[in-house]
Amino acid sequence: MAASNNDEVKEKIHKQWLEFAPGYSEIVLHGTFMPQVHAAFVDSLKPLLHDRDEVKILDVAAASGEPSLSLAAALPNAKIIATDLAESYLPLGRARAEAANLSKQISFEAADGENLSQFANNSFDVVTCSLGLMFFPNESKGLSEFCRVLKPNGILAVTVWGTHVPFFTKAMEVAKKITPPEASPPSAPVNTAQRFGDGKGLCESITKSGFTDLEHQELEITFKLINNETGGDWFDQLWKTPFPLKAAVMQAVQIPGHENAKEEARALLAADYGDWVKDDGSLVMPGNICNFIMAKKA
């Protein structure tokens, strides 16, 4: 992809994540939605790191601080720099670290995962990136930067969505249904979120970027959104996040005769999600696949 196109894609993604920072932070990252993803980092890294005097971790595309917060809580010896391109996540992360009494372990900085020039070569024991690489226009550039800042034998740990994620695919099916014929076809963020599929291609890219001893496992993630007075039901909560369906709805309501697109989308998606939508307005959806990959700097 040409550099100019990369910059355009990055700016578009940047604006989207800035817009949804509060909702994504509260509902998705630090709520009940996917704690299993954060736990995978702790389960895999804690046994390797807990007995060291100090561990320096760089968390890239951390949003408001995951897996940074989970790792800091599990590893008192860790010093973590949590970074994100979207600056609006940083104060949210600092507030969460303060509330969890982890602010002495974690600092937050703005950083572009494809250009980590503020960090020196061979300066971190671990680099983590949870559900971020698929949004890098040039993931190879990001992986090369991860390798550069890692110490020799340093550890890389990343997660990316897999091929089977019904949460995304069913939402995009509904997006197509509610898009009027006279409107532009809905964009497909699902293609971005799931661009690495079974993870094999990403593993090859990681190896080419200077890593060895790859370990790849598939995690089955159960998404949970618990109905509550402040957040609302499952659909209300998803509406506050970078939900794949929302862009199609917002486009449709601008066209005469489609003013009820949001209500239509809710009904269609509830039907497609079926038994995953509970009578109390919660959502419990098992069977979403996430790739978890670890490697060492060669």
Side-chain angles (χ1 to χ4, degrees), residues 180-214:
E182 60 269 38
S184 301
S187 59
V190 63
N191 290 343
T192 299
Q194 296 176 256
R195 61 184 281 214
F196 293 123
D198 62 10
K200 292 180 181 178
L202 179 57
C203 286
E204 292 177 2
S205 295
I206 291 173
T207 300
K208 291 177 182 177
S209 298
F211 292 93
T212 187
D213 295 343
L214 264 71

Side-chain angles (χ1 to χ4, degrees), residues 111-265:
D112 181 345
E114 295 181 3
N115 180 11
L116 300 170
S117 56
Q118 69 258 54
F119 304 115
N121 296 353
N122 307 316
S123 53
F124 293 95
D125 300 291
V126 180
V127 170
T128 58
C129 185
S130 182
L131 303 177
L133 262 178
M134 56 269 199
F135 298 111
F136 285 32
N138 187 339
E139 76 278 0
S140 295
K141 192 173 180 181
L143 290 168
S144 294
E145 280 290 87
F146 297 173
C147 189
R148 179 185 64 79
V149 301
L150 275 170
K151 297 176 183 178
N153 295 313
I155 300 170
L156 173 68
V158 302
T159 51
V160 295
W161 291 119
T163 301
H164 184 74
V165 188
F167 173 79
F168 293 135
T169 52
K170 289 184 177 295
M172 286 309 299
E173 289 168 4
V174 171
K176 292 176 183 177
K177 290 178 182 177
I178 66 167
T179 300
E182 60 269 38
S184 301
S187 59
V190 63
N191 290 343
T192 299
Q194 296 176 256
R195 61 184 281 214
F196 293 123
D198 62 10
K200 292 180 181 178
L202 179 57
C203 286
E204 292 177 2
S205 295
I206 291 173
T207 300
K208 291 177 182 177
S209 298
F211 292 93
T212 187
D213 295 343
L214 264 71
E215 299 177 17
H216 175 207
Q217 59 178 307
E218 288 188 340
L219 310 175
E220 182 176 335
I221 305 301
T222 297
F223 291 146
K224 293 183 181 180
L225 291 169
I226 307 303
N227 190 13
N228 60 76
E229 293 182 0
T230 56
D233 71 2
W234 65 277
F235 192 86
D236 292 333
Q237 292 181 54
L238 288 177
W239 197 252
K240 300 172 185 176
T241 73
F243 190 36
L245 179 58
K246 187 170 183 177
V249 171
M250 299 307 293
Q251 182 184 45
V253 296
Q254 302 300 317
I255 297 175
H258 298 276
E259 293 82 2
N260 296 322
K262 183 177 178 181
E263 290 73 21
E264 181 185 358

Side-chain angles (χ1 to χ4, degrees), residues 9 11-12 24 47 55 77 85 89 127 133 168 188 204 242 280:
V9 170
E11 182 60 26
K12 184 177 180 179
Y24 182 80
V55 179
N77 58 335
L85 182 63
Y89 283 103
V127 170
L133 262 178
F168 293 135
E204 292 177 2
D280 67 355

